[in-house]
Amino acid sequence: MLSEALKAKFDQVIARYPVKRSAIVPLLLFGQDEIGYISDELVEEIARRVEVRPIEVIEDISYYSMLHRQPIGKYNLQVCTNISCLLRGGEEILEHCRRRLGIDPKGTTPDGLFSLEEVECLGACCGAPAMQVNYEFYENLTPEKVDRLIEELRIRTANGHPR
Ligand code: FES
């Protein structure tokens, strides 16, 4: 069941587009932010609202790596290993995250707090090696910075921070 706030947001977003189906990706992102992933119910709801078949929404989902059909961790660590990051230690950062969290890329910690992904260029090459966590960017990473960030995210959660 989608919240009233999310339904109102959907109405607002759809009204911005002359062609309703152009709103599919923003709707998916807002829905994913609320639910944590893209459920079948969410696909159906978006398809109904923008007047397309559910399969067309699913096709869009399959194109974008930031859209998830399965639940992922509260914090999704997306580590770039593309060329600039690769040259400045991106693979070491990914390996450090893997060891520190005890999960492989595409995995989620048993407590549901963290997921890990290896991703293509985040557009933050000047700050390589870089990582995106949900909608925030972290640049010029070192293993020590990653450790501090993971600890900070654990503390945020313990203090009841939503995401
Ligand atoms: S190569 Fe990593 S952000 Fe561009």
Side-chain angles (χ1 to χ4, degrees):
M1 181 63 91
L2 308 182
S3 73
E4 290 307 313
L6 184 58
K7 289 178 186 171
K9 187 76 187 173
F10 279 4
D11 290 339
Q12 199 182 58
V13 171
I14 291 168
R16 284 192 209 140
Y17 291 88
V19 178
K20 285 184 181 184
R21 67 173 302 141
S22 303
I24 291 176
V25 172
L27 297 181
L28 286 166
L29 285 168
F30 282 119
Q32 178 172 265
D33 285 347
E34 176 166 299
I35 299 168
Y37 71 108
I38 297 165
S39 64
D40 290 342
E41 182 196 8
L42 183 59
V43 169
E44 297 282 341
E45 177 73 15
I46 290 173
R48 189 183 61 74
R49 285 173 176 259
V50 302
E51 298 165 6
V52 299
R53 292 171 299 150
I55 188 68
E56 294 173 81
V57 176
I58 292 169
E59 284 167 358
D60 282 356
I61 296 167
S62 67
Y63 184 78
Y64 294 99
S65 61
M66 76 283 198
L67 298 172
H68 302 278
R69 288 288 273 146
Q70 301 296 326
I72 59 167
K74 178 175 180 176
Y75 298 107
N76 189 25
L77 277 59
Q78 296 180 296
V79 181
C80 175
T81 55
N82 229 182
I83 191 68
S84 300
C85 291
L86 180 77
L87 294 171
R88 293 188 35 94
E91 288 199 331
E92 289 75 13
I93 294 298
L94 179 66
E95 177 58 20
H96 185 76
C97 290
R98 201 183 65 72
R99 274 189 278 111
R100 178 72 203 256
L101 297 173
I103 54 174
D104 289 325
K106 297 281 182 201
T108 298
T109 54
D111 61 4
L113 203 50
F114 299 103
S115 289
L116 179 62
E117 280 186 283
E118 179 178 12
V119 295
E120 300 295 329
C121 181
L122 294 165
C125 312
C126 293
M131 169 165 80
Q132 184 175 351
V133 181
N134 300 355
Y135 291 109
E136 290 178 37
F137 282 82
Y138 298 88
E139 300 176 359
N140 299 304
L141 292 171
T142 62
E144 296 72 29
K145 282 186 180 176
V146 169
D147 287 346
R148 279 199 299 276
L149 174 62
I150 289 172
E151 197 47 41
E152 188 187 303
L153 295 175
R154 284 191 202 284
I155 292 168
R156 267 195 224 176
T157 301
N159 291 337
H161 195 280
R163 253 182 206 264

